[in-house]
Amino acid sequence: MTETAPRPTLEAVAERAGVSRATVSRVVNGAHGVRDELAERVRRAVEELGYVPNQAARSLVTRRHQAIAVVAAEPETRVFADPYFAQQLRGISKELTAHDNQLVLLLTEGREDHARVGRYLAGGHVDGALVFSLHLDDPLPGLVRGAGLPAVFGGRPDWDDGRGDVVYVDSDNRGGARSAVQHLAGLGRTRVAHITGPLDQTSAADRLEGFREVRADADPGLIARGDFTSGGGERAMRELLDRCPDLDAVFAANDLTAAGALRVLRERGRRVPDDVAVVGFDDMLPVAEETDPPLTTVRQDIEGMGRLMARLLLRGLDGGAADDADDPQAPTATPPGVILPTTLVHRATA
């Protein structure tokens, strides 16, 4: 049997560094008040001995678990199939990892899942929550509030509990939609259709509103409901072509929807962009570059949204001490909401 080497202790680190156990504890737990010279000796001793702090003991001192719940109000079949979520989770993970925090992913599909997530959040396992992809009347905000956890939400909230302190990160969905439809109008397109996302989500509702701000007189028949999936884009495109065969442009609520619409246009013999111009939303790679032809779309910084959500939450947990010197997008104080800009990316479909 192979004998396991004893795990280095706090006392061993103190002896190696020539300082007290209390000094080692302060350095390991990130406390202030230790001279730079002593702190460097402790860090060197930690590295030489391979010391790993006992997280349970550390939590007793810092009152922190170094774990953040990331709650997506979607079933796992959607989260793991949609590249949007992969990009957002990548941004969140990068930021949490950089600050030595663990990501705990929680997904919800129905009432039983909400109850399970609520119990977990209230159980004292995590320091805060990042919540995104909320739907209308979703109970998650109330569960987070009831658990007493600080939280940052992905997307403009659609509720008002009178407190006015909801912190969120979103993209300029309405402005991005306006730029897409204005671009199509500038090309001389007069029968511009819109395939929406699920309208129980504020991002989809805002993109529809942006479309309507430019096309206030649009035929209601030129609007078809989608669900942010390629299959939903296919169904909505068939519906639009059957109802309005003379349409000459489509603004799709996201890139997956646009990809589905392009497949149907090709099936129906419509040339893109000659007969029908198409613009998507997100600029999700590789989706937008691999459609046929490559997709003109509205770019939002999905990964950057995830990073900023995590940064705002960690800043709140640290009392505003997060270092954002290298991030020109991050505000100097935690605001109730941050709206990130969008830009139109020109490719071949419009």
Side-chain angles (χ1 to χ4, degrees):
M1 178 182 294
T2 302
E3 294 187 3
T4 303
R7 179 176 177 174
T9 64
L10 211 62
E11 290 77 10
V13 175
E15 182 178 354
R16 173 69 66 92
V19 298
S20 69
R21 185 184 187 279
T23 296
V24 174
S25 179
R26 286 199 296 273
V27 173
V28 168
N29 291 310
H32 301 290
V34 179
R35 295 200 315 272
D36 290 344
E37 177 189 353
L38 295 182
E40 180 57 31
R41 281 161 51 185
V42 170
R43 284 191 287 268
R44 189 162 53 246
V46 165
E47 184 176 350
E48 291 172 354
L49 293 174
Y51 173 75
V52 178
N54 182 302
Q55 186 59 44
R58 187 175 181 179
S59 295
L60 291 174
V61 176
T62 64
R63 304 294 183 183
R64 291 276 294 274
H65 302 279
Q66 300 299 117
I68 300 296
V70 178
V71 188
E74 299 287 352
E76 62 182 31
T77 51
R78 172 90 192 279
V79 171
F80 294 124
D82 190 331
Y84 178 93
F85 295 107
Q87 290 187 32
Q88 193 162 47
L89 287 170
R90 182 163 60 242
I92 291 170
S93 179
K94 284 182 178 179
E95 192 65 24
L96 294 183
T97 299
H99 291 84
D100 197 24
N101 279 260
Q102 299 301 314
L103 184 159
V104 180
L105 181 61
L106 305 173
L107 308 177
T108 65
E109 187 167 8
R111 188 177 301 276
E112 292 182 359
D113 289 324
H114 286 120
R116 170 182 55 80
V117 169
R119 289 193 300 270
Y120 184 86
L121 295 177
H125 306 290
V126 294
D127 301 315
L130 300 169
V131 187
F132 58 88
S133 202
L134 289 170
H135 297 260
L136 187 66
D137 298 328
D138 200 302
L140 281 173
L143 293 174
V144 173
R145 182 84 76 185
L149 286 174
V152 175
F153 293 88
R156 179 179 63 81
D158 63 353
W159 70 91
D160 181 9
D161 58 8
R163 298 179 57 155
D165 59 350
V166 177
V167 180
Y168 67 91
V169 177
D170 203 357
S171 290
D172 185 8
N173 292 297
R174 186 177 297 189
R178 283 197 304 268
S179 69
V181 183
Q182 287 167 348
H183 173 67
L184 292 168
L187 296 175
R189 308 299 169 125
T190 59
R191 296 284 286 169
V192 182
H194 177 43
I195 302 177
T196 77
L199 295 177
D200 63 347
Q201 292 187 287
T202 56
S203 58
D206 286 348
R207 291 171 198 178
L208 173 59
E209 188 62 27
F211 170 84
R212 285 175 168 160
E213 287 176 3
V214 181
R215 309 293 297 184
D217 58 348
D219 179 351
L222 285 168
I223 299 174
R225 186 159 180 170
D227 58 5
F228 282 158
T229 70
S230 59
E234 290 180 359
R235 289 190 296 272
M237 192 71 251
R238 291 191 180 97
E239 177 185 332
L240 285 168
L241 288 172
D242 290 343
R243 194 164 58 216
C244 305
D246 60 341
L247 65 85
D248 59 8
V250 177
F251 166 50
N254 77 342
D255 291 349
L256 288 176
T257 297
L262 287 169
R263 284 195 291 271
V264 171
L265 288 169
R266 187 164 52 251
E267 290 171 3
R268 296 285 185 95
R270 304 298 178 93
R271 297 170 301 163
V272 177
D274 303 71
D275 301 326
V276 181
V278 178
V279 177
F281 201 112
D282 285 338
D283 195 27
M284 288 191 300
L285 303 178
V287 175
E289 291 184 339
E290 294 186 356
T291 58
D292 183 19
L295 182 65
T296 296
T297 186
V298 177
R299 174 180 293 162
Q300 60 171 334
D301 187 359
I302 302 169
E303 184 173 324
M305 287 174 61
R307 292 198 73 146
L308 185 54
M309 286 175 62
R311 185 169 293 129
L312 290 174
L313 181 62
L314 294 175
R315 176 191 290 143
L317 291 170
D318 292 335
D323 181 11
D324 295 313
D326 297 326
D327 184 3
Q329 284 188 334
T332 56
T334 301
V338 179
I339 304 295
L340 299 180
T342 57
T343 55
L344 186 66
V345 178
H346 298 268
R347 293 195 180 93
T349 59

